[in-house]
Amino acid sequence: MKKYIYFPTGVCSTKIVIYINEDNTINKIEVENGCPGNSIGISALCQGKKIDYVIEKLEGIKCDKKVTSCPDQIARALKKIN
């Protein structure tokens, strides 16, 4: 398993840690300083999914009037990994 750290911009969260399994699936996502319930829920839904699938589902999601969101930032982090 590999660990990746991403520092998001434009959102409440300050750090995203992503653990990727050898088969290119997501093992776990940890989001620091974001909305706890949403972050835990997103992590649970992403667990076991392929990176490309998660990028497709989360990319472009906006939070209120912001141009990005924590899910979008996760997609951006995954694009850097992929």
Side-chain angles (χ1 to χ4, degrees), residues 11 23 27 29-31 34 43 60 64 70:
V11 293
D23 65 353
N27 181 279
I29 299 174
E30 298 171 344
V31 180
S43 180
D64 199 26
C70 289

Side-chain angles (χ1 to χ4, degrees), residues 11-29:
V11 293
C12 300
S13 62
T14 56
K15 182 177 174 183
I16 299 172
V17 182
I18 302 172
Y19 298 88
I20 302 295
N21 296 318
E22 290 180 20
D23 65 353
N24 213 32
T25 59
I26 296 168
N27 181 279
K28 184 178 180 182
I29 299 174

Side-chain angles (χ1 to χ4, degrees), residues 20-56:
I20 302 295
N21 296 318
E22 290 180 20
D23 65 353
N24 213 32
T25 59
I26 296 168
N27 181 279
K28 184 178 180 182
I29 299 174
E30 298 171 344
V31 180
E32 291 185 15
N33 299 316
C35 303
N38 289 335
S39 298
I40 292 167
I42 290 168
S43 180
L45 289 171
C46 293
Q47 202 167 15
K49 303 290 190 293
K50 292 282 188 184
I51 291 174
D52 289 337
Y53 174 81
V54 174
I55 291 170
E56 179 185 321

